[in-house]
Amino acid sequence: MPVASPSPKMIELNTNLLAVLGIAPQWFDSDAGLATLSGNGDYAQPPIAMAYAAHQFGHWVPLLGDGRAHMLGQIADTTVGSIDVQLKGSGRTRFSRNGDGLATLGSVLREYIVSEAMAGLGIPSTRALAVIGTGKKVMREEVFPGALLVRTARSHIRVGSFQFAATSQGEDGVKALAEFVIAHYFPELTDRQEKYLELLEVVIDRQASLVAQWMLVGFIHGVMNTDNMSIVGETIDYGPCAFMDEFHPEKVFSSIDRNGRYAWGQQPSIALWNLAQFAGTLMPFIHPDANEAETLVKSRLDNFAPQFRHAFNTGMRRKLCIDDSVSSEEISNLSETTLGAMTESQIDFTVFFDLLTRTAAGESSASLLQLFKDDGKGEAWLALWQSLRSDNPDIIKGMREANPAIIARNHRVEEAIEAAVKHRDFSPFHRLCKALADPYNVDPADTKLQTPPSQTERVTQTFCGT
């Protein structure tokens, strides 16, 4: 059961999300709503803490699970179908190991901000329904105020869920879980003759698209362990994640990723590695002959790389204002040239594409060229781009829709957290969340949020918050 909050307080209710779900906010603002969402409810149906296994940084861990989360159940009648509702930071479970199962206000605000930033960018994601202060004190490096995140998801089932079923319950457990997933999330597969193979295909397709979308906005998940890969293709578990400032394909922020396993440019290969672990659990049901099953699985996994490249190149085509008359090979070469030039000049990822969008819309290219360390190389790149770019107004409009002007910059996230935790000032948090809800249009009052960090503001490491 969730641990009770001694003095719960609604810090933030996500009315934007409730509007998407088609749910009125009145109950959530009521005493009964606050009690239910703060661990103080009368839970006639006991909450659930889910078990899973994982490869963590490539190392096998046979038993993990929700060590500080309780799933209350599902809201069935929403405009997007049923969604899970989970309390995060709600106390110990059987999977807590030696942890206290609690969450600090800072870690909860961080997940709220970044998950809402992803939603604003149109990238599939779990979302925060509410932030609730618990009145507890939580000990980490020092004493912090405690909080709960009320998290929603289409599903909390992960690749690690299938790995746990395989190791603890064998083939019967995996089959039951696969049947559940198909029935609840992919019902169109229910009567298919090769439904388990098609389940693998749809999960591969969603992950290829998701990782491409991350990379196209400079996002680094930070901890792509198999227990942090959602079966339904949502971004889940915002721990040491970050949006990069200056571009480099080997960029890492996570304090525990010392070897760069989950760097920006490594994310496609890691996704494929995780998918291979998922495929392994389904092998017995794909074909009775093990060799044939392996052949079928390998052919589907081999599709991941071209699917990812297609999704990434399609996104880069939009970001660079390139129409379909330019060949796939040319867009690949332009993308590589662009990213290479950005790496060499240490150019801010978001600023570059924002200024490029402005240039395509008719503004001067002077500010864009100033980003390059070498004037000649900058002018050569600009001439190459001008020779390939489209003048079609619709494609220029689509370019802006692919290039956010504001992202959840690390130093702005930390600024909002520090103001809230140390000074109980939530105005920077509210301001940032409001701007991130519409990241393609900047209120003149929020131009400061676009600015890359100064040397003293730079965040070089992020942490998981547990």
Side-chain angles (χ1 to χ4, degrees):
M1 297 295 287
V3 64
S5 297
S7 53
K9 179 182 179 182
M10 181 69 74
I11 292 174
E12 184 73 5
L13 179 63
N14 193 342
T15 53
N16 288 341
L17 176 57
L18 287 174
V20 170
L21 298 176
I23 299 174
Q26 282 79 6
W27 180 84
F28 296 91
D29 276 328
S30 70
D31 291 341
L34 182 60
T36 301
L37 300 178
S38 63
N40 296 346
D42 180 12
Y43 302 108
Q45 184 71 28
I48 294 168
M50 294 177 66
Y52 38 83
H55 280 92
Q56 295 190 318
F57 289 89
H59 301 289
W60 174 242
V61 184
L63 178 59
L64 291 165
D66 294 331
R68 56 172 182 159
H70 295 76
M71 190 188 302
L72 300 185
Q74 293 180 318
I75 301 177
D77 298 322
T78 79
T79 56
V80 299
S82 64
I83 58 164
D84 295 351
V85 179
Q86 182 194 68
L87 304 184
K88 192 171 181 181
S90 46
R92 290 178 54 81
T93 73
R94 71 178 71 183
F95 311 114
S96 297
R97 291 173 282 181
N98 293 319
D100 59 15
L102 304 177
T104 64
L105 175 60
S107 67
V108 167
L109 292 179
R110 179 178 176 80
E111 179 157 351
Y112 188 104
I113 292 168
V114 183
S115 61
E116 284 304 287
M118 295 294 267
L121 291 164
I123 298 174
S125 176
T126 60
R127 294 186 67 178
L129 179 60
V131 174
I132 296 173
T134 62
K136 285 182 173 291
K137 299 296 183 182
V138 179
M139 177 63 73
R140 294 294 180 259
E141 309 84 35
E142 54 187 273
V143 177
F144 291 99
L148 285 169
L149 184 80
V150 184
R151 182 165 75 177
T152 67
R154 282 202 63 228
S155 175
H156 282 84
I157 297 173
R158 312 137 185 270
V159 168
S161 306
F162 278 82
Q163 292 179 293
F164 175 79
T167 56
S168 68
Q169 300 169 11
E171 292 184 8
D172 289 344
V174 175
K175 189 172 184 179
L177 182 57
E179 291 286 356
F180 178 90
V181 166
I182 289 169
H184 284 263
Y185 306 111
F186 308 107
E188 68 277 8
L189 304 182
T190 301
D191 297 323
R192 302 283 180 84
Q193 187 173 354
E194 297 184 323
K195 59 184 175 182
Y196 304 111
L197 186 60
E198 292 189 43
L199 173 62
L200 175 61
E201 289 174 349
V202 72
V203 174
I204 289 171
D205 179 66
R206 292 192 179 200
Q207 288 298 326
S209 172
L210 180 65
V211 174
Q213 289 179 80
W214 290 351
M215 295 175 66
L216 288 163
V217 292
F219 179 75
I220 303 164
H221 185 281
V223 60
M224 288 179 66
N225 297 329
T226 54
D227 58 317
N228 293 334
M229 177 179 275
S230 162
I231 291 298
V232 298
E234 290 182 326
T235 313
I236 192 169
D237 289 329
Y238 291 91
C241 60
F243 289 87
M244 71 169 86
D245 297 306
E246 71 280 357
F247 177 77
H248 197 290
E250 297 176 7
K251 182 75 73 175
V252 171
F253 286 90
S254 171
S255 63
I256 55 176
D257 191 3
R258 299 180 181 88
N259 298 313
R261 177 179 173 87
Y262 299 141
W264 179 86
Q266 287 290 104
Q267 292 178 124
S269 61
I270 292 299
L272 177 57
W273 195 91
N274 290 349
L275 288 164
Q277 312 314 309
F278 174 55
T281 68
L282 296 178
M283 289 264 286
F285 320 110
I286 286 174
H287 199 280
D289 180 87
N291 291 330
E292 182 62 23
E294 183 176 348
T295 298
L296 290 169
V297 162
K298 185 178 184 303
S299 70
R300 293 340 187 254
L301 292 171
D302 286 345
N303 288 334
F304 175 85
Q307 286 177 266
F308 167 78
R309 282 195 301 272
H310 175 75
F312 186 79
N313 285 339
T314 298
M316 286 298 288
R317 193 181 288 275
R318 295 184 70 213
K319 291 178 78 69
L320 290 165
C321 197
I322 307 296
D323 64 29
D324 291 338
S325 67
V326 176
S327 69
S328 296
E329 183 178 359
E330 286 177 301
I331 189 64
S332 293
N333 290 338
L334 178 60
S335 296
E336 290 176 14
T337 301
T338 302
L339 297 176
M342 291 171 67
T343 303
E344 183 177 354
S345 292
Q346 297 180 304
I347 297 175
D348 185 280
F349 189 90
T350 305
V351 167
F352 176 85
F353 284 106
D354 180 46
L355 289 177
L356 187 66
T357 303
R358 295 173 184 274
T359 300
E363 294 186 18
S364 169
S365 61
S367 296
L368 178 67
L369 287 171
Q370 287 176 2
L371 300 176
F372 292 85
K373 290 182 177 179
D374 184 303
D375 292 344
K377 290 183 178 179
E379 290 169 357
W381 181 88
L382 185 63
L384 172 64
W385 174 70
Q386 292 281 22
S387 71
L388 295 171
R389 59 155 290 199
S390 174
D391 292 321
N392 185 316
D394 291 335
I395 293 178
I396 293 172
K397 180 183 177 183
M399 186 184 186
R400 170 49 75 196
E401 293 168 355
N403 292 322
I406 289 180
I407 56 167
R409 290 190 179 274
N410 303 315
H411 66 300
R412 296 301 178 205
V413 174
E414 293 303 321
E415 177 183 74
I417 290 172
E418 183 175 4
V421 172
K422 291 187 176 180
H423 308 294
R424 306 301 289 177
D425 177 8
F426 289 90
S427 57
F429 166 74
H430 290 132
R431 179 187 178 192
L432 183 57
C433 289
K434 182 180 178 182
L436 293 171
D438 186 10
Y440 304 101
N441 299 293
V442 185
D443 188 311
D446 291 329
T447 53
K448 178 183 174 184
L449 298 177
Q450 294 179 271
T451 309
S454 66
Q455 200 61 38
T456 57
E457 293 173 321
R458 190 176 299 276
V459 174
T460 58
Q461 282 193 323
T462 51
F463 303 87
C464 69
T466 52

